[in-house]
Amino acid sequence: MRSGQIHDTDDPVRVLHLTDPHLFGHTAGVLRGIVTHASLSSVIEHYRAGGWRAHVAVLTGDVIQDDAKAAYAECRKLFAQLELPIYCVPGNHDIRSLMREALAEPPFHYCASTVSGNWLIVGIDSCAEGRASGYVTDDEQSRLSAVIAASQAQHVMVCLHHPPISMGSAWLDAVGLDNGEEFLARLRSTGKVRLAVFGHVHQPYDELHDGVHIICTPSTCRQFMQGSDEFAVDDHPPAYRRISLHADGRVQTELVWVQHD
Ligand SMILES: [Fe+2]
């Protein structure tokens, strides 16, 4: 596990959240009517063209769609344009052995942690081999506890792929985090976790659960229909999220939709 310092002032730590790009090994790859390389490019271009600048990016999985090593190479090329350290975790569509190898070197940090001012950011692997639903193993939960215990930071942001809460959508809840309740209880028990961000469900979510912000950012490609009990996509555009982590533990976020043809 890698650890680093990205920011050391009292200004808010600014985090760019991107998720579920579903890239292919070839740039023309289409997923449910969207060229995923082009839609991610639009998102990155929108960030670069705006005035808001992040200190760090987090990427919460489903980096690739076609099981191709070349898709991770495309990921490296596109994300290099951000000129940011990128803390990434795998999703159920990732091949962990390929991802760990392809995204282990800077600017990428795989399932790693970093301290910035009063905040500790930790990437958690929530994937379970061979299935779409997730599970945070005892080992991974122990690693999280150890990283928190070893840090002077007073506030913690956790990044994972699967939602630790119900989405109110039968088909998505069937592929959620199998031990979400237990994991959330573990987060609460630390007394320091203020924020958990996830992907996987390709739709926005932003709720406070017993003092912990639980936040999802829609995909950089196709979105799923909110509240649907069966699989359904909708026509919301690609998106990213701007997150500000204040030194006193407050969290502010702004969801940004990116028009894409
Ligand atoms: Fe996904």
Side-chain angles (χ1 to χ4, degrees):
M1 186 187 62
R2 193 184 304 271
S3 219
Q5 179 87 24
I6 52 175
H7 171 271
D8 60 4
T9 75
D10 286 337
D11 290 339
V13 182
R14 294 186 297 277
V15 181
L16 171 64
H17 184 208
L18 301 170
T19 193
D20 294 76
H22 290 267
L23 295 170
F24 293 80
H26 53 100
T27 59
V30 175
L31 179 64
R32 302 185 187 102
I34 286 198
V35 180
T36 60
H37 186 281
S39 65
L40 175 58
S41 294
S42 294
V43 167
I44 289 172
E45 183 49 39
H46 191 283
Y47 164 75
R48 282 164 50 88
W52 187 88
R53 282 287 167 270
H55 298 100
V56 60
V58 297
L59 169 59
T60 46
D62 281 2
V63 174
I64 68 165
Q65 176 64 26
D66 61 355
D67 296 353
K69 190 175 179 180
Y72 288 116
E74 292 301 327
C75 171
R76 284 195 73 89
K77 276 191 255 175
L78 285 170
F79 276 84
Q81 298 172 32
L82 292 173
E83 298 179 322
L84 292 170
I86 300 151
Y87 285 78
C88 61
V89 296
N92 51 293
H93 282 273
D94 288 302
I95 308 293
R96 282 184 285 188
S97 55
L98 290 181
M99 181 171 170
R100 193 183 295 112
E101 183 186 332
L103 305 185
E105 296 299 320
F108 289 92
H109 304 270
Y110 179 88
C111 290
S113 62
T114 185
V115 173
S116 182
N118 224 2
W119 281 84
L120 168 68
I121 299 172
V122 187
I124 293 292
D125 183 346
S126 64
C127 293
E129 205 64 47
R131 63 179 202 259
S133 61
Y135 189 87
V136 183
T137 63
D138 289 345
D139 282 354
E140 195 66 346
Q141 295 196 49
S142 297
R143 180 175 72 81
L144 173 62
S145 296
V147 170
I148 291 173
S151 174
Q152 301 291 318
Q154 290 180 297
H155 312 298
V156 180
M157 170 181 177
V158 170
C159 313
L160 74 167
H161 183 66
H162 294 84
I165 38 77
S166 165
M167 296 301 298
S169 174
W171 82 273
L172 282 171
D173 287 344
V175 293
L177 190 65
D178 291 344
N179 61 340
E181 232 168 84
E182 175 204 346
F183 182 63
L184 211 46
R186 183 86 171 232
L187 297 188
R188 284 193 201 100
S189 74
T190 67
K192 290 188 173 180
V193 176
R194 316 286 175 226
L195 170 64
V197 298
F198 64 94
H200 190 52
V201 298
H202 294 223
Q203 59 192 265
Y205 185 90
D206 185 350
E207 299 282 345
L208 200 57
H209 290 256
D210 292 337
V212 181
H213 290 268
I214 310 288
I215 289 175
C216 181
T217 300
S219 164
T220 64
C221 59
R222 178 65 80 193
Q223 315 307 351
F224 298 147
M225 189 171 290
Q226 288 182 264
S228 177
D229 280 332
E230 296 178 353
F231 172 83
V233 297
D234 71 17
D235 57 2
H236 281 90
Y240 66 94
R241 193 183 288 274
R242 298 164 172 168
I243 301 174
S244 294
L245 307 174
H246 293 269
D248 61 2
R250 281 178 303 118
V251 174
Q252 286 179 307
T253 87
E254 179 187 2
L255 178 59
V256 181
W257 298 102
V258 178
Q259 290 306 322
H260 171 73
D261 295 327

